[in-house]
Amino acid sequence: MTGPRSPRRVVSLVPSLTEAVAACAPDLLVGATDWCSHPAGLDVTRIGGTKNPDLGALAALAPGLVLANEEENRPQDLAALRAAGTDVLVTEVRTLDQAWRELTRVLVDGCGLSRPGWLAAAEAAWRELPVPATERTAVVPVWRRPWMVLGRDTFAGDLLARLGVRNGYAGHPDRYPRVPLEELTTAGADLVVLPDEPYRFTAEDGPEAFPALPAALVSGRHLTWYGPSLAQAPAVLAEALATAR
């Protein structure tokens, strides 16, 4: 349900936020990126990628608000939108606690919606997690050719830590460092975690590079998206981690 401060037309440049708004008030959304895959069948104008949106097509939609993220979208694109007089709400999400705050800011403060039930359910799902009995150390590639992994200060790293998996590169000075494969395979990790986005790791593409390590193939949406998927993420990720092989 929308409130009196709700913008009538919203464009989202962030897949997570597209899904979050659509789960509450799909009629607000008039535009989204080509990567906004959830919910299925979302009928809005597509305005290109997160890194290369068609600003002309976006402007033609006359949005009252554009939703963006400091990591996923380019500063120059956001500056151009603001220079054209468009309101832009930019989120920063590097921890789970920050995700709760930013989702509230987007949905309640930005879109004028009531705080949704799915957000409370997601908070409860993570709050009620048992303390992990053991802690494992993982390398978490997000790309190959070249190999890139999770480094410091990442949302996905925080989620894994809450599930008993410490990111072996959490102390790296870069957030997404490029690391040679030979270093990754000798870093002393207990397992490798392979999400299916942004690079689509599969059983046939990824585990073979780490023959000495159990491989956990995980849903990138549940590991990296902050939205309705967070309610199911603890169970989905815990199962994938428990069946690493």
Side-chain angles (χ1 to χ4, degrees):
M1 183 174 181
T2 60
R5 294 176 293 104
S6 172
R8 296 179 60 188
R9 301 172 67 80
V10 175
V11 171
S12 173
L13 300 179
V14 185
S16 298
L17 299 180
T18 300
E19 183 179 22
V21 174
C24 302
D27 290 347
L28 285 183
L29 284 168
V30 294
T33 75
D34 297 340
W35 298 105
C36 294
S37 57
H38 288 74
L42 181 66
D43 185 17
V44 297
T45 299
R46 303 293 175 160
I47 45 81
T50 57
K51 304 294 186 187
N52 58 344
D54 183 333
L55 298 183
L58 194 161
L61 293 172
L65 180 67
V66 172
L67 302 176
N69 175 263
E70 51 93 26
E71 177 179 298
E72 296 194 52
N73 307 120
R74 302 189 308 169
Q76 58 266 41
D77 292 329
L78 305 184
L81 289 170
R82 289 191 175 107
T86 303
D87 285 339
V88 182
L89 190 161
V90 183
T91 58
E92 177 184 282
V93 178
R94 300 189 181 188
T95 68
L96 184 59
D97 289 339
Q98 197 174 25
W100 306 139
R101 295 192 297 269
E102 291 289 66
L103 283 167
T104 299
R105 188 164 72 96
V106 166
L107 298 172
V108 179
D109 300 336
C111 294
L113 304 172
S114 300
R115 201 169 192 274
W118 61 257
L119 185 51
E123 289 176 316
W126 284 96
R127 184 173 59 247
E128 294 164 6
L129 273 179
V131 177
T134 59
E135 183 180 79
R136 292 177 288 175
T137 299
V139 292
V140 190
V142 292
W143 202 259
R144 68 183 300 177
R145 306 181 191 94
W147 287 94
M148 298 175 66
V149 299
L150 292 185
R152 64 168 180 87
D153 196 22
T154 65
F155 175 71
D158 186 36
L159 264 57
L160 289 171
R162 293 167 187 263
L163 294 165
V165 177
R166 186 182 72 86
N167 174 17
Y169 285 87
H172 197 281
D174 297 330
R175 296 186 66 220
Y176 299 98
R178 295 186 181 188
V179 183
L181 179 60
E182 50 271 26
E183 179 181 329
L184 295 178
T185 57
T186 58
D190 303 307
L191 77 160
V192 57
V193 176
L194 298 168
D196 61 10
E197 62 174 83
Y199 184 91
R200 188 172 180 80
F201 289 106
T202 68
E204 292 74 37
D205 185 358
E208 81 291 341
F210 302 87
L213 291 177
L217 294 164
V218 304
S219 161
R221 175 168 165 260
H222 289 94
L223 181 63
T224 65
W225 288 35
Y226 34 93
S229 59
L230 281 172
Q232 295 78 40
V236 171
L237 295 173
E239 181 179 3
L241 293 169
T243 56
R245 58 183 180 181

